[in-house]
Amino acid sequence: MLSGLFPLAYAAVLTCLLLQAFRMMRLSSASAVSAPSDRTGLKTIHPELLDENGVMTNEELWAVRFSDKQGVVLPEA
């Protein structure tokens, strides 16, 4: 008797989870369409690129790579 209820319970839970997933995708896609791409309307600059006066620096940017003991370069984040 219990083995006969398991497929029905499994199907019910799967159906509920699928409906919830589609509901969440619908809500997120609707909010993405109505939301503007930039909340301030201003050009966004990373804070590390600003000097003491808040002006964007013209310094050369450097990249750092780390390697393990075998000399293999690990992928950057």
Side-chain angles (χ1 to χ4, degrees), residues 27-57:
L27 290 175
S28 67
S29 67
S31 66
V33 171
S34 65
S37 61
D38 187 11
R39 60 189 163 108
T40 62
L42 303 173
K43 183 178 178 183
T44 305
I45 300 173
H46 215 276
E48 287 84 4
L49 297 175
L50 302 176
D51 63 4
E52 307 85 37
N53 301 322
V55 179
M56 192 165 165
T57 62

Side-chain angles (χ1 to χ4, degrees), residues 6-7 10-11 14-16 22 25-26 28 33 44-45 48 50 52 56 62 70:
F6 181 72
Y10 184 81
L14 182 66
T15 303
C16 290
F22 284 121
M25 286 189 288
R26 185 186 57 181
S28 67
V33 171
T44 305
I45 300 173
E48 287 84 4
L50 302 176
E52 307 85 37
M56 192 165 165
W62 290 53
Q70 290 84 21

